[in-house]
């Protein structure tokens, strides 16, 4: 089955620094990847849609200059949280689709900003 | 995208059958119904997907009435490891570029 790998699984960083999260589709090519954020005891919130070779589309209220998304290849999308602050601490989850099967999700990245 | 309504929480005991119903009154003609399971600190895991009538796989069954305004996920003989949050989602299936919008989900607690 389709496997989506996310790295790192957890990261702790200091306020003001940037953190990059990788999302890879291991056994299929993903023309589109999606990034979600999940706060404790809450549901997943869609942040942005990432298409290979083009600019990401961000959901309303998500700062594109703070959450930089790059989808340079059909198997890799990255989310960079720039100048992270404690309120950015959350669980970030990516998903990828190939258009032929249900969305598959990565195992998430727990970001803690101190 | 059609909005879904699920019970916030359910409790069960090991070995029982659990049925979680989801309402989606505004489902569109080309929408499918998909269920995901999520454990703490993990990404959602696909359980089952259907369009109408009944779908069954090795872990669950999905019952969809003719009007498609609701659906029921059935988990046979649950175990402690089935304790998780279950999400019902409605949207155009397997369509390139279509994100899934998550509702609040149902927290299932299985006790011994």
């Amino acid at each position: 089955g389709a496997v989506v790998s996310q790295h790192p699984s957890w990261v702790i960083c200091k306020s003001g620094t940037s953190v990059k999260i990788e999302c890879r589709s291991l056994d299929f090519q993903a023309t589109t990847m999606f990034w979600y954020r999940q706060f404790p005891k809450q549901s997943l919130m869609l942040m942005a849609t990432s298409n290979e070779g083009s600019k990401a589309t961000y959901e309303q209220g998500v700062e594109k200059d703070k959450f930089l998304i790059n989808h340079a290849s059909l198997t890799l999308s990255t989310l960079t949280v720039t100048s992270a602050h404690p309120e950015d601490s959350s669980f970030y989850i990516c998903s990828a689709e190939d258009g032929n099967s249900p969305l598959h999700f990565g195992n998430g990245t727990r970001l803690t900003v101190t | 995208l059609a909005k879904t309504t699920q019970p916030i929480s359910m409790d069960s005991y090991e070995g029982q059958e659990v049925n979680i119903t989801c309402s989606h009154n505004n489902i569109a003609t080309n929408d499918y119904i998909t269920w995901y399971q999520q454990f703490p600190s993990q990404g959602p895991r696909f359980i089952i997907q259907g369009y109408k009538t009944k779908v069954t796989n090795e872990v669950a069954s999905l019952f969809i009435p003719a009007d498609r305004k609701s659906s029921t996920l059935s988990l046979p003989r649950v175990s402690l490891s089935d304790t998780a949050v279950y999400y019902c989602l409605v949207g155009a299936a397997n369509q390139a570029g279509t994100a899934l919008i998550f509702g609040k989900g149902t927290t299932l607690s299985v006790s011994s």
Side-chain angles (χ1 to χ4, degrees), chain B residues 80-100:
Chain B
L80 296 176
S81 61
D82 292 317
T83 294
V85 180
Y86 292 82
Y87 294 99
C88 161
L89 298 100
V90 172
N94 313 334
Q95 182 175 345
T98 302
L100 287 177

Side-chain angles (χ1 to χ4, degrees), chain A residues 15-32:
Chain A
S15 186
T17 62
S18 296
V19 173
K20 179 184 287 188
I21 302 169
E22 293 186 348
C23 179
R24 295 180 184 273
S25 54
L26 297 186
D27 50 2
F28 66 100
Q29 292 185 331
T31 53
T32 306

Side-chain angles (χ1 to χ4, degrees), chain B residues 55-69:
Chain B
V55 179
T56 298
N57 61 22
E58 62 276 9
V59 297
S61 294
L62 179 59
F63 298 92
I64 306 169
D67 65 5
R68 303 198 329 121
K69 293 184 182 299

